[in-house]
Amino acid sequence: MYEDPDLLVLKKDEIKVNRNIKYLEIEIVKTIWDEWGFEKFSDRCKWLEELVICRCVEPMANINIQEWYEKTSLSLRKDSKIKELNKYDIYRGLDNLRNFEKSIQEHIYMKACETGKDNSIMYYDLTSSYFEGSTCIISRHGYSREHRADLKQIEIALLVTKEGIPYYWKVLSGNTQDVTTVEGMIKEIKERFGLKDCLFVFDRGMASETNLESIESCGYHYVTGLDIDEIRKLEEELKIIPEYMDEKTYDIDLAMYEYESGNEDGTILIRELEIENQRYVMSFDVSRFFSDRENRAKAIELVETWTQNKNEELKKSKKNRSKDKIERDIKSKIKKHKLTKIFKYSIEEMVDTTKKTPLTRYKINYEIDETEKREQGKFDGISCFIANKGKEKLPGSELIQLYRDKNKVEEAFQNMKSNIELRPIYLTREERVIAHVTVCVLAYLIMNDLQIKLKKKGLAISAEKFLKKMSTCHCNEIQIKNYSDTIKTITSLNDEQKSMLKQLELSYLAEQEYVEKFV
């Protein structure tokens, strides 16, 4: 008679599902975590792996991480280092994480080099992140990119490769000026990573003479831009922009100033200069030229309409109005639409003596300064980029594209703030705030790597949506009556899930053999 030791004949009431546990999205993220070799840091921060994976799939407060952990396949893994739950272990780990933040950065760099990642181009930028409630010692009021000037914040510096891999990040005081951070970052990168022949791309707000000299002294190249005031100064000295370009003849005007086509369709025109061994690339963007003109016209129309409506309101007023309040309103409106130098106004006071009690009314008189409007229009569509790498190695069109690609670091910040929920920050101790940022950066690294893998396989889906699709696949812990051990099975996959896993070469994660071996 045939006997199969795995064969059981049971009644329905003898089968019980003890737990239904988050599985597939957890294991996918853990696979990437393991590929980067971060396991080596788990002994130094007991909950590091769990904190990062949680940020990737279901961001939540650190205090809730243990409850989440119990509901995931991480708690079932035979190689788990979490032997007992202790909330203080999480905070001890965060306190200690700051001490090896640099080691993690150097590990990422070395791992990226081993796998042939391109580190010849680096993008650098800063962002701010605000606090709710109590704040930590390094939080300060400063320039808020999130329009929360009422709250204290920290600044976060971040350096990423062209693929978005973060090599360097640093938490700074909330009132740190961007321009003051570049020199220290460059010297630290040179010392710790020994980078050679690297090109740094950063925002025009950091393009100080000291910073550019610091980059050159370390043997590196840079691409950055000039702000409008610096372009104005350059134009005053060199006369390299037409006086004022008409929408119909701008191309003729620019040709007279030696601008040439910078791309195939002629929508970018460039002119190059070299001044004291520094390369200047003047750029005229046709699309931006027309949008700049259109936006200014719309802004003027909006402020004029607002002023006219305000005057109608003031004319009908039956009580005295505050002149200071009216002035604050008009100034705010003008500033919002960037018309401070174009929209000139005065507030006329008129006393109505026909009433028993004299009534003071006001009227806003205004005019458009056509001279200033023309002067600002002169720079419509114009940008200027500076670099210290020659034209033969970096053509002007490529240089401009590199600067435009600096949104890679901006995208990293946006990803951390939205999907990974970097902020708002509730922690108060400095070391824990710094650790929280490190956890979020590592989560971003994992999600960015997953996004790269999806793109390489031709899967047009975001990493977040991909993990959500995989989240329906759970691990089920089944208990059989009078049977001491539990059985682990996973939810059956649909065709779409099977196809995606196959393309990513991760089908093995859904096989029973894998579940029995690791979980």
Side-chain angles (χ1 to χ4, degrees):
M1 183 176 178
Y2 174 75
E3 292 185 4
D4 185 345
D6 293 328
L7 182 63
L8 293 172
V9 179
L10 302 166
K11 295 180 180 179
K12 289 182 180 180
D13 60 0
E14 292 180 324
I15 302 173
K16 177 184 177 183
V17 178
N18 284 346
R19 288 198 291 172
N20 183 258
I21 294 169
K22 298 177 186 292
Y23 173 73
L24 189 52
E25 78 272 36
I26 305 293
E27 293 299 319
I28 289 170
V29 173
K30 179 168 171 51
T31 297
I32 301 175
W33 171 269
D34 291 341
E35 286 177 1
W36 280 92
F38 290 129
E39 175 65 22
K40 64 186 289 186
F41 298 104
S42 294
D43 288 336
R44 301 169 73 177
C45 179
K46 188 174 179 180
W47 284 85
L48 181 59
E49 178 179 328
E50 289 74 17
L51 286 165
V52 172
I53 293 176
C54 179
R55 283 280 154 189
C56 291
V57 300
E58 195 177 3
M60 63 181 62
N62 295 327
I63 198 170
N64 298 323
I65 192 74
Q66 292 178 343
E67 183 180 350
W68 172 85
Y69 167 79
E70 289 264 77
K71 297 175 182 178
T72 72
S73 59
L74 296 173
S75 67
L76 299 180
R77 291 187 67 90
K78 297 170 185 176
D79 57 356
S80 173
K81 295 189 177 181
I82 306 297
K83 304 304 179 186
E84 59 182 28
L85 299 181
N86 184 335
K87 67 178 181 180
Y88 297 107
D89 283 344
I90 297 172
Y91 293 108
R92 290 191 196 100
L94 289 173
D95 291 343
N96 191 39
L97 182 54
R98 178 186 182 180
N99 298 326
F100 57 99
E101 177 188 68
K102 290 184 178 180
S103 298
I104 293 176
Q105 294 174 5
E106 289 157 13
H107 172 83
I108 293 171
Y109 172 73
M110 294 302 296
K111 199 71 177 178
C113 289
E114 288 173 9
T115 53
K117 305 291 186 185
D118 184 0
N119 58 21
S120 63
I121 299 171
M122 298 284 188
Y123 296 90
Y124 179 71
D125 204 355
L126 278 81
T127 193
S128 55
S129 189
Y130 61 84
F131 286 76
E132 293 279 11
S134 301
T135 55
C136 81
I137 193 171
I138 58 173
S139 65
R140 296 284 189 280
H141 285 292
Y143 171 66
S144 176
R145 296 165 178 84
E146 299 169 303
H147 310 293
R148 291 304 307 267
D150 57 315
L151 298 175
K152 289 186 178 181
Q153 63 182 23
I154 54 169
E155 291 280 341
I156 302 170
L158 182 66
L159 183 74
V160 303
T161 69
K162 62 190 300 183
E163 288 186 319
I165 301 171
Y167 281 174
Y168 168 94
W169 59 91
K170 192 169 188 176
V171 176
L172 304 162
S173 175
N175 58 359
T176 302
Q177 299 295 312
D178 294 9
V179 70
T180 65
T181 67
V182 176
E183 186 175 7
M185 179 274 293
I186 291 294
K187 290 180 179 178
E188 191 173 346
I189 290 298
K190 176 81 172 179
E191 180 182 332
R192 289 172 52 200
F193 298 152
L195 280 171
K196 298 178 181 178
D197 193 28
C198 186
L199 186 149
F200 289 86
V201 184
F202 49 92
D203 190 75
R204 55 174 57 91
M206 304 182 205
S208 72
E209 185 176 338
T210 300
N211 288 339
L212 301 185
E213 288 176 354
S214 176
I215 294 171
E216 283 199 286
S217 69
C218 288
Y220 297 138
H221 294 99
Y222 58 79
V223 169
T224 186
L226 297 181
D227 62 28
I228 187 63
D229 290 334
E230 291 169 320
I231 295 176
R232 287 178 188 274
K233 181 186 285 188
L234 194 66
E235 160 60 13
E236 288 173 5
E237 295 174 0
L238 302 175
K239 304 299 178 186
I240 49 179
I241 302 172
E243 279 303 311
Y244 184 82
M245 288 176 275
D246 186 88
E247 285 87 343
K248 296 180 180 179
T249 60
Y250 66 85
D251 52 343
I252 298 173
D253 295 334
L254 288 166
M256 293 178 64
Y257 278 76
E258 301 179 355
Y259 282 75
E260 299 177 347
S261 179
N263 58 359
E264 291 182 1
D265 58 9
T267 56
I268 301 291
L269 300 168
I270 61 176
R271 177 184 175 182
E272 295 211 26
L273 306 160
E274 188 170 315
I275 305 171
E276 297 178 354
N277 298 319
Q278 192 168 64
R279 185 179 170 200
Y280 292 76
V281 178
M282 301 297 301
S283 166
F284 176 84
D285 185 321
V286 176
S287 176
R288 217 190 87 211
F289 170 72
F290 284 101
S291 66
D292 285 348
R293 291 280 164 94
E294 184 180 350
N295 291 340
R296 185 178 299 108
K298 283 183 178 178
I300 291 172
E301 183 182 355
L302 282 169
V303 177
E304 282 188 314
T305 300
W306 181 90
T307 305
Q308 291 161 6
N309 291 338
K310 190 70 175 178
N311 278 335
E312 284 298 313
E313 177 191 326
L314 293 171
K315 184 179 179 181
K316 297 175 183 177
S317 176
K318 295 181 179 181
K319 61 180 181 178
N320 290 323
R321 306 293 291 270
S322 167
K323 183 179 180 179
D324 289 343
K325 173 67 166 56
I326 296 169
E327 185 147 22
R328 285 197 301 271
D329 289 346
I330 184 68
K331 277 186 176 179
S332 174
K333 185 64 65 174
I334 292 171
K335 184 178 180 181
K336 177 182 178 182
H337 292 284
K338 301 177 181 178
L339 297 174
T340 304
K341 293 183 178 180
I342 293 177
F343 197 93
K344 305 295 185 181
Y345 74 93
S346 62
I347 300 176
E348 181 182 354
E349 181 179 304
M350 298 174 292
V351 180
D352 185 351
T353 57
T354 63
K355 308 290 183 181
K356 289 184 179 181
T357 302
L359 179 63
T360 302
R361 290 195 175 97
Y362 296 97
K363 179 184 178 183
I364 303 171
N365 299 310
Y366 71 90
E367 64 178 356
I368 304 302
D369 188 331
E370 294 295 338
T371 301
E372 180 60 32
K373 178 183 172 183
R374 185 179 178 87
E375 175 63 19
Q376 291 190 19
K378 176 180 178 179
F379 297 90
D380 289 341
I382 293 288
S383 299
C384 182
F385 308 94
I386 55 176
N388 63 337
K389 196 166 189 175
K391 184 176 181 180
E392 66 284 354
K393 292 185 178 180
L394 185 63
S397 57
E398 292 182 20
L399 184 154
I400 293 169
Q401 189 58 50
L402 277 175
Y403 186 81
R404 289 180 172 176
D405 286 345
K406 68 183 175 64
N407 63 358
K408 291 183 184 296
V409 70
E410 293 165 5
E411 288 170 1
F413 283 135
Q414 183 58 37
N415 193 303
M416 281 189 274
K417 290 180 178 182
S418 56
N419 299 320
I420 295 169
E421 297 185 13
L422 168 69
R423 54 91 171 99
I425 300 171
Y426 294 93
L427 297 163
T428 56
R429 294 176 62 170
E430 179 181 354
E431 57 269 26
R432 291 179 187 174
V433 171
I434 293 172
H436 170 71
V437 171
T438 294
V439 167
C440 290
V441 172
L442 290 177
Y444 159 73
L445 167 64
I446 300 296
M447 295 299 283
N448 181 68
D449 198 4
L450 176 56
Q451 191 66 66
I452 292 171
K453 293 177 188 294
L454 290 166
K455 186 176 180 180
K456 284 182 177 178
K457 296 298 181 179
L459 293 168
I461 186 172
S462 71
E464 291 75 26
K465 288 183 178 179
F466 169 75
L467 290 179
K468 190 168 184 178
K469 282 184 179 291
M470 298 298 129
S471 67
T472 59
C473 179
H474 290 192
C475 178
N476 307 295
E477 187 179 71
I478 299 172
Q479 181 72 57
I480 298 172
K481 188 176 181 180
N482 299 324
Y483 192 71
S484 59
D485 293 333
T486 57
I487 298 172
K488 309 292 192 308
T489 64
I490 60 171
T491 309
S492 297
L493 301 181
N494 60 39
D495 290 341
E496 183 183 32
Q497 290 170 325
K498 288 178 182 178
S499 176
M500 286 183 168
L501 282 182
K502 184 176 181 180
Q503 289 181 73
L504 289 174
E505 300 177 13
L506 293 174
S507 296
Y508 65 89
L509 294 177
E511 294 174 359
Q512 189 63 29
E513 182 181 352
Y514 177 86
V515 177
E516 292 175 354
K517 183 177 180 181
F518 292 103
V519 178

